[in-house]
Amino acid sequence: MSFDRGPSQGWGTSGYDPAAEAPTAAEQPALPPGFDAQEFLKGAKIMYTRMQASWDKRDLDDIRQFTSPEVFEEIRRQAQADPTPGKTELLLVNPRILEVRETDGQTIASVLYDVMMRENREEMTKQVRELWHFSRPTNTPDAFWALEGIQQVEG
């Protein structure tokens, strides 16, 4: 799958159409000039869903398209340790920008995901909280966001 360039704030062919959803009001941190937080959050939500669907299928080729080499290698190792595809039901995916900063020619966006999911039909719904870090070159606003890291958040 190739990434299309368009108005989707650098999310490629994530399936996100910026005109498809109305913006939501959310408390936002200080953002760099020209950073569209509402559009970014919509794309970030789609990317979480895409990552989960690709992981469930163990579609490493898709995951490689939007992750840094380091993140991809970790996911590849986890897929080798657990090669069985799954079926995760995402009931709620709520992303929130915690920080956007520019450093060393990169724009780094940290997103807290608050997710309600069920990993199999027999399991109760559970809450998962993760902090994802995305980056792209600051001087290339049409570059795609790359997933640079995932941290589990307790509580």
Side-chain angles (χ1 to χ4, degrees):
M1 176 185 313
S2 66
F3 282 141
D4 294 332
R5 298 233 181 247
S8 61
Q9 191 81 66
W11 293 111
T13 57
S14 63
Y16 162 62
D17 174 3
E21 295 181 38
T24 59
E27 185 174 307
Q28 296 297 327
L31 301 172
F35 187 88
D36 187 335
Q38 292 171 341
E39 188 174 315
F40 178 87
L41 285 171
K42 290 175 196 171
K45 184 175 181 177
I46 294 295
M47 291 313 295
Y48 189 96
T49 303
R50 178 178 172 182
M51 171 67 94
Q52 191 61 55
S54 294
W55 171 252
D56 282 351
K57 293 182 280 187
R58 299 304 190 264
D59 184 350
L60 297 180
D61 289 334
D62 185 51
I63 292 171
R64 184 188 320 259
Q65 293 185 53
F66 58 90
T67 56
S68 70
E70 297 80 11
V71 169
F72 176 77
E73 270 309 304
E74 179 58 30
I75 290 170
R76 188 187 62 73
R77 281 194 291 277
Q78 291 178 18
Q80 284 180 329
D82 180 12
T84 308
K87 177 62 179 131
T88 303
E89 184 179 0
L90 295 175
L91 305 170
L92 172 71
V93 177
N94 186 20
R96 182 168 54 106
I97 298 171
L98 295 185
E99 178 183 37
V100 178
R101 68 187 185 285
E102 294 178 0
T103 181
D104 297 329
Q106 295 286 308
T107 300
I108 311 293
S110 298
V111 179
L112 176 65
Y113 288 94
D114 195 355
V115 178
M116 294 300 290
M117 70 168 58
R118 185 172 28 237
E119 292 183 314
N120 62 55
R121 290 277 179 209
E122 294 78 43
E123 183 180 85
M124 295 293 291
T125 300
K126 67 180 179 180
Q127 179 181 26
V128 174
R129 292 173 49 108
E130 295 177 335
L131 183 60
W132 287 25
H133 305 282
F134 296 97
S135 75
R136 73 176 180 188
T138 299
N139 293 328
T140 314
D142 61 343
F144 300 121
W145 291 99
L147 178 59
E148 297 285 345
I150 300 175
Q151 296 171 273
Q152 299 299 313
V153 177
E154 298 298 318

